[in-house]
Amino acid sequence: MRFIERDAEVRTLAEMFVDSERRPRNTVILIEGPVGCGKSQLLHIGVEEAARRGGLVLAATGSYEERRLPFGIMRQLMEDVGIPDEAGTRLAELVRVATEYAADGPRKFRVDDVRWPPLMHSVFLSLSELAKSRPVVIAVDDLHHVDDVSLHFLKYLLRRSRGSRVSFLLTIPLHQAPQDSLFEAEMLRQPAFVRLAVGLLGRAGVRRLVDDQPDTAASSRAVDELCALSGGNPLLVRAAIEEFRRERAAEPIDSPLRLHRGGPFAQAVHACLAVSGPDIADAAAAFAVLGPSVSVPRISRLLEMDRHTAEQGVACLRAAGLVTGTSFRHPAVERAVREAFPAERLALLHGRAAELLREEGEAVPVVADHLVACGDDGSAWGLQVLVEAAESALGGDLAAKAVRYLEAALDRCHDDARRAEIQIRLAEVVHRVDPTAAEPLLDQALAVARRHDLSALSLESLARMARARGYVTESALTVRRLGAAVARGRTVLRKVREAPVVDRTHHTPRRPGPPRGARPTVALDEAERELWVSLAHGAAEPALLVTTGLWTLPGWGTGDGPAPRVAGSSLSARSHISDMGLPGMLNAVKAFAFADRTDAAARWCETLSEEADWRRAPGWQAAVNAVHAEVLLLQGRFAEADQKAAEALADVPMGTDSVFVAGPVAGRILAATATGRYEEAARHLGRRLPERVHHTLDGLGYLRARGRYLLAIGHAQAALDDFLCVGGRTVAWGIDKPGLIPWRIDAAEAWLRLGEDNEAERLITEQASGVEVSNSLTRGMTLRLRASTAEAPMRRRLLTRAVGELQKSGNVYELARALADLGHAHRSTGDRSLSESVLQRAWRLAQECGAVELAEQLRGPSVRFEGENDAQSKLSESERRVAALAAFGHTNREIAAQLHVTVSTVEQHLTRVYRKLNIARRQDLPPQLRIPLNQVA
């Protein structure tokens, strides 16, 4: 094997032995360097050179396992087969006697033992006699592992061999020393003592080492990676090359290198540790355990070793290229070091490290990392440290770390009530990452809550999660338990985990100081305050908006009531999303949407989604996307709603046993059905859902979506069954609010398809009785359906009112349906001009929202609307509304107020209008745009 960057050392060895031939003197060569850097190979070079020149070589190799074997190394030397018979017999007898002495004597070699000097002298005389005929070379590899008896013999021979032809060739790792501290001093006293130092290779040396391998080539990037991986340690470089060639023997080495558990590279690291001895290996284990917290004093305390030994261990690891500074050179090295130790040993060290760092006042997360790694070590303080670390991690949006801490805390906790509290918090945190994974934890916590009395804080969190997930029965039970806990006075304070706080003893709001690092809020979270004070009193009544839960308070039913005000306060008061606050924020978004502020609701969804993204909370983002899909459905923006629902489901595997998927799946079914994509809707309906979804609020939305699909493909009876099932469950659960859950509208439409006008009329009447406590969308849909059973004059009036309501709602699809009915009503009375204008607008809206089937019904294969290619046809419905008002001279602010949008939105619409119509100012708007919105109806 060709040596790289070792030419000077090889020349020195050759010159030494040439010189010893010319003059009868002994030579002492000590080869010193980091483990794995070629000391043994150099020793073998010297041995071969000495043998080639006629010398008698007596060789031995030290090992940690034999360092306590008395006279072990000397026995290896004296029993060499190359010794002539007569001298060999004499030395063999001396070995036998020495071995008996060592076996019968004290365990520790003593210099003053009178038996040894005569024996050592006899050995020296025998070797001197051999050296008269030819040079004798005593070669010992790994001097630091030589037993103390042999070391004493070698030291004696060193001292007596001056002027003889008995030479010594020894190796020892850098920063390690023989067991006898005086041995090195004895070497230094020798006139012909030479120290050969070998070290790590530079980049050029690594390049040469790679090129020196047979049939091996490497890219420049691969050489750089080998340098980074090995630090220039030749043993590690060769091992990495060998591992690559095992997988891809015929290919040139390229980056990145793939190293495997237990592969040649890992074995080479293990060999470095084994050769270095247990103290060095333990120091490497301490490096792996302590991580960024590593220091020599901590290694010393952790391993219960003296400071000098710890320093020596760290120096050896650095010299070998395994570590640099206070960390391992490469993750693969750390991984290999961890593999070298049993898991139990590392766990024990992590437990010690946790206690050590806690005593030194290290940060809580650092201590918690060690507690996670060591498992349940029985420490009384570990549980609280893990819980605190979880909250600290959440402060930095490190949800995955917080989950690990809470899971470790759960493993340590043996009190059922305390376990339930941790489980509840864990479910909240897991929801940040994966809402489907949070459900089993929530189910377990609910089960424990049925058996044990929990704190009001835990019950409040549990109630929030159960309501957010749509668990009707469980949330009701939890709210009752919360009320009982408050009544018993179990707690009067709430932890400063979130900004909005309610003192449940006096049922009055209070606000603690903001959490460290958070921006101060500007107003109380009124939605949360009112909701949870009401829950504590048991006075709240839940209701449902579209496909997920919107829990409302008395008086929230009207669009001009407190809903938008409270929702706006709730959202503007929030500095950041939080685990406990997100459900309230999403309900506030739904309140905006319910109050005909769908544009504002959509903007808030975008804001919340952006925050969830930069805070690395995919679970939050999925929840926001699910609500965003609902808002877009309320606007009739089906393509965008389908996209948002798909994004909410993006990381949820098919077949996942989760109720979360029901809401987004229902949204995709509704979007596909409204746009005539029935095969796609059927595919979504084929997705397996858990049975318990039908006991949740999302289950109602799913039933409604399935019913709308069945109604669209002509299965009116099956659709009716689903709609009536929705109604039956809302009644049974006590949430039958016609203004909020308009199942009667769907059922009445199905009855009409079945020709049962009386049943339809009954449901329409029931629905109409509740529309005054609803929003424009529900009122408009109700009016449109009432018109379908009314006489012609009344039908036109009802449809005109329906169009007015639906224009305010912003739902393009329902507005198109109402306009279609109104256009047909005008045609039936002979007003063909107005009918064509209304039907044309309905057709344009149907096209805008993607309702292909409705658009085809309105236009037909041979119908062409007048002015179909005029200025209006180039504009979207929202752009046309803005342009119409601008054409009449309204200012941007007046238009924004009338259409319930921002001034910025108006400006953006007008910019697009000008570009599409190729005009520069509003005075150039075409006169045909000047059609008042109320005249269109």
Side-chain angles (χ1 to χ4, degrees):
M1 179 184 294
R2 188 163 66 94
F3 280 89
I4 308 299
E5 296 184 359
R6 302 288 186 259
D7 297 339
E9 290 80 4
V10 172
R11 282 197 304 271
T12 299
L13 285 173
E15 290 170 0
M16 289 293 178
F17 290 114
V18 168
D19 196 47
S20 67
E21 282 184 327
R22 296 172 184 163
R23 289 178 295 175
R25 68 167 188 168
N26 73 322
T27 302
V28 180
I29 299 176
L30 178 66
I31 304 172
E32 187 178 45
V35 63
C37 289
K39 301 184 301 297
S40 298
Q41 285 89 339
L42 276 176
L43 181 139
H44 293 312
I45 288 280
V47 165
E48 291 173 357
E49 183 67 17
R52 189 175 67 83
R53 295 183 180 276
L56 173 63
V57 178
L58 306 180
T61 301
S63 68
Y64 178 80
E65 293 78 8
E66 296 182 356
R67 67 184 303 178
R68 303 202 185 282
L69 181 63
F71 210 64
I73 290 296
M74 288 303 297
R75 191 156 55 242
Q76 288 186 52
L77 293 171
M78 299 299 104
E79 292 176 349
D80 194 292
V81 295
I83 300 176
D85 291 342
E86 182 179 349
T89 302
R90 188 165 58 252
L91 286 173
E93 178 61 22
L94 293 173
V95 168
R96 184 187 65 77
V97 174
T99 303
E100 290 178 358
Y101 284 0
D104 295 339
R107 299 187 61 176
K108 181 71 176 173
F109 175 74
R110 292 174 53 187
V111 176
D112 59 353
D113 192 327
V114 296
R115 298 174 299 172
W116 293 116
L119 193 58
M120 290 188 291
H121 184 67
S122 298
V123 170
F124 168 70
L125 291 177
S126 297
L127 292 177
S128 297
E129 190 67 25
L130 286 171
K132 290 178 181 179
S133 59
R134 56 175 171 165
V136 175
V137 177
I138 296 176
V140 180
D141 198 9
D142 287 336
L143 188 65
H144 61 302
H145 286 324
V146 174
D147 63 276
D148 51 2
V149 177
S150 297
L151 199 61
H152 195 67
F153 267 74
L154 289 173
K155 185 170 66 173
Y156 179 85
L157 295 175
L158 268 175
R159 186 166 57 249
R160 294 297 308 274
S161 297
R162 275 188 210 175
S164 70
R165 293 205 299 173
V166 178
S167 297
F168 295 83
L169 186 57
L170 312 169
T171 72
I172 193 168
L174 193 63
H175 302 299
Q176 296 201 55
Q179 293 191 69
D180 187 341
S181 58
L182 298 179
F183 188 89
E184 189 166 358
E186 190 62 49
M187 287 191 293
L188 292 172
R189 293 174 59 193
Q190 303 304 309
F193 171 69
V194 176
R195 188 191 302 269
L196 297 181
V198 296
L200 302 173
L201 301 178
R203 188 187 186 284
V206 172
R207 171 89 262 179
R208 288 176 57 197
L209 182 57
V210 173
D211 295 340
D212 193 47
Q213 306 300 308
D215 301 321
T216 300
S219 67
S220 179
R221 288 184 308 172
V223 172
D224 290 338
E225 185 172 356
L226 284 170
C227 291
L229 179 66
S230 66
N233 187 304
L235 176 63
L236 300 184
V237 174
R238 291 191 184 97
I241 294 171
E242 175 63 22
E243 188 151 353
F244 182 90
R245 293 180 64 185
R246 281 188 181 184
E247 278 195 4
R248 293 170 282 179
E251 298 179 25
I253 300 175
D254 199 2
S255 179
L257 302 173
R258 291 200 296 268
L259 304 176
H260 304 286
R261 179 185 178 90
F265 183 83
Q267 294 173 23
V269 174
H270 300 169
C272 289
L273 299 180
V275 170
S276 299
D279 289 341
I280 312 303
D282 284 346
F287 251 90
V289 167
L290 289 170
S293 305
V294 72
S295 67
V296 169
R298 284 176 173 172
I299 291 175
S300 176
R301 288 188 61 191
L302 179 66
L303 300 176
E304 298 177 335
M305 65 171 51
D306 62 85
R307 176 74 174 263
H308 172 72
T309 305
E311 289 175 342
Q312 186 183 53
V314 172
C316 287
L317 294 172
R318 287 175 178 157
L322 298 178
V323 302
T324 175
T326 58
S327 63
F328 284 101
R329 175 171 294 280
H330 194 277
V333 176
E334 180 177 1
R335 186 168 60 247
V337 168
R338 287 185 173 276
E339 291 173 13
F341 292 88
E344 297 78 7
R345 169 68 171 159
L346 293 176
L348 177 63
L349 289 177
H350 276 294
R352 287 184 191 169
E355 191 165 1
L356 164 66
L357 296 175
R358 175 173 173 265
E359 291 173 357
E360 293 186 359
E362 188 62 83
V364 168
V366 176
V367 178
D369 285 336
H370 293 290
L371 291 174
V372 171
C374 76
D376 187 0
D377 62 352
S379 61
W381 49 269
L383 179 63
Q384 186 58 33
V385 167
L386 287 165
V387 173
E388 291 177 9
E391 297 303 325
S392 175
L394 291 174
D397 291 322
L398 303 174
K401 289 192 72 172
V403 168
R404 288 198 299 273
Y405 294 146
L406 291 172
E407 287 176 341
L410 203 59
D411 291 339
R412 287 169 171 261
C413 186
H414 306 293
D415 176 78
D416 287 342
R418 180 63 172 141
R419 279 180 61 83
E421 293 175 357
I422 296 172
Q423 214 157 27
I424 291 168
R425 186 62 177 136
L426 179 59
E428 287 181 324
V429 178
V430 168
H431 186 271
R432 290 193 184 198
V433 182
D434 182 359
T436 64
E439 289 177 17
L441 296 167
L442 176 58
D443 293 340
Q444 294 168 20
L446 288 167
V448 174
R450 287 193 287 270
R451 300 192 304 270
H452 299 278
D453 291 334
L454 303 183
S455 67
L457 176 66
S458 296
L459 288 171
E460 177 180 342
S461 297
L462 191 59
R464 286 177 183 270
M465 287 190 292
R467 284 186 177 276
R469 193 52 96 233
Y471 291 175
V472 179
T473 304
E474 292 88 345
S475 60
L477 291 172
T478 307
V479 167
R480 284 200 290 271
R481 288 191 177 91
L482 173 59
V486 173
R488 288 193 301 269
R490 293 203 167 187
T491 182
V492 297
L493 296 175
R494 179 173 167 186
K495 287 183 179 178
V496 186
R497 192 169 73 193
E498 320 251 321
V501 178
V502 173
D503 185 325
R504 302 200 179 284
T505 302
H506 303 95
H507 305 110
T508 56
R510 61 181 177 82
R511 176 167 295 300
R516 184 172 59 184
R519 298 195 303 273
T521 55
V522 297
L524 291 176
D525 184 349
E526 296 182 31
E528 293 293 293
R529 176 182 54 135
E530 293 184 27
L531 175 59
W532 289 101
V533 170
S534 181
L535 287 179
H537 282 287
E541 254 186 34
L544 178 69
L545 176 61
V546 193
T547 59
T548 60
L550 170 63
W551 303 99
T552 63
L553 299 172
W556 273 48
T558 56
D560 56 354
R565 175 179 58 81
V566 174
S569 174
S570 173
L571 290 169
S572 63
R574 294 283 186 177
S575 295
H576 297 292
I577 302 175
S578 62
D579 296 308
M580 293 184 72
L582 182 62
M585 298 177 81
L586 294 180
N587 276 348
V589 170
K590 295 174 187 177
F592 267 120
F594 182 77
D596 303 325
R597 300 288 300 280
T598 53
D599 286 341
R603 286 196 302 273
W604 272 112
C605 284
E606 292 169 359
T607 299
L608 295 176
S609 180
E610 289 173 2
E611 181 176 348
D613 181 41
W614 66 258
R615 292 182 64 183
R616 297 163 293 183
W620 283 353
Q621 195 158 32
V624 172
N625 285 337
V627 173
H628 198 175
E630 295 179 42
V631 173
L632 293 167
L633 284 172
L634 289 176
Q635 295 178 315
R637 294 159 62 183
F638 297 120
E640 296 169 74
D642 183 68
Q643 179 183 347
K644 287 299 177 184
E647 290 174 6
L649 296 169
D651 296 324
V652 181
M654 292 290 290
T656 299
D657 188 24
S658 169
V659 301
F660 170 78
V661 303
V665 166
R668 300 203 74 182
I669 294 169
L670 287 171
T673 300
T675 54
R677 295 175 288 121
Y678 300 128
E679 290 184 3
E680 186 175 331
R683 284 199 301 274
H684 296 318
L685 282 166
R687 182 163 186 155
R688 185 179 67 83
L689 298 178
E691 177 61 29
R692 69 179 184 277
V693 78
H694 299 296
H695 304 285
T696 67
L697 295 173
D698 281 337
L700 299 183
Y702 181 81
L703 281 177
R704 180 185 182 252
R706 188 173 70 182
R708 295 304 307 178
Y709 164 75
L710 292 170
L711 190 64
I713 63 173
H715 298 299
Q717 184 59 57
L720 178 63
D721 292 342
D722 278 346
F723 298 144
L724 294 179
C725 184
V726 172
R729 289 178 184 172
T730 61
V731 172
W733 295 341
I735 57 174
D736 184 21
K737 296 285 187 178
L740 292 172
I741 311 175
W743 62 269
R744 292 172 178 83
I745 295 177
D746 296 321
E749 192 171 347
W751 279 123
L752 289 173
R753 296 280 185 91
L754 293 169
E756 297 288 345
D757 292 359
N758 291 335
E759 288 294 332
E761 186 68 35
R762 177 181 63 81
L763 290 176
I764 292 170
T765 301
E766 290 179 9
Q767 177 66 33
S769 66
V771 294
E772 294 308 318
V773 287
S774 70
N775 57 4
S776 296
L777 177 61
T778 307
R779 290 195 295 270
M781 292 168 64
T782 304
L783 287 167
R784 173 182 163 272
L785 206 58
R786 284 183 64 189
S788 66
T789 61
E791 297 296 330
M794 177 60 71
R795 182 181 304 136
R796 291 180 61 180
R797 287 196 292 273
L798 290 172
L799 288 171
T800 300
R801 289 175 55 195
V803 168
E805 292 287 354
L806 292 170
Q807 283 180 158
K808 288 191 292 184
S809 76
N811 189 306
V812 180
Y813 176 69
E814 291 296 337
L815 177 58
R817 296 179 75 194
L819 285 169
D821 289 353
L822 180 59
H824 293 308
H826 284 317
R827 179 173 293 175
S828 67
T829 60
D831 194 342
R832 297 188 61 84
S833 175
L834 185 55
S835 170
E836 181 179 332
S837 175
V838 172
L839 289 175
Q840 181 176 2
R841 186 181 175 204
W843 170 76
R844 187 183 300 110
L845 290 174
Q847 284 194 314
E848 182 180 327
C849 69
V852 177
E853 191 173 48
L854 176 59
E856 290 176 351
Q857 292 172 358
L858 289 169
R859 190 174 186 276
S862 59
V863 177
R864 181 180 181 84
F865 292 117
E866 182 180 351
E868 189 172 315
N869 295 318
D870 65 7
Q872 296 188 47
S873 65
K874 299 178 182 179
L875 307 180
S876 69
E877 176 61 23
S878 55
E879 291 167 351
R880 197 199 65 78
R881 289 200 301 266
V882 171
L885 290 171
F888 271 97
H890 293 287
T891 65
N892 289 356
R893 189 171 298 278
E894 291 170 342
I895 296 172
Q898 186 164 341
L899 297 181
H900 304 292
V901 296
T902 64
V903 175
S904 175
T905 300
V906 172
E907 292 171 349
Q908 293 172 26
H909 283 322
L910 284 175
T911 299
R912 288 194 292 270
V913 168
Y914 296 162
R915 185 176 66 251
K916 290 180 179 181
L917 300 183
N918 196 26
I919 59 177
R921 55 183 182 171
R922 67 179 62 205
Q923 288 83 355
D924 298 330
L925 288 167
Q928 60 263 39
L929 289 175
R930 299 176 185 176
I931 303 176
L933 294 180
N934 57 1
Q935 283 189 14
V936 174

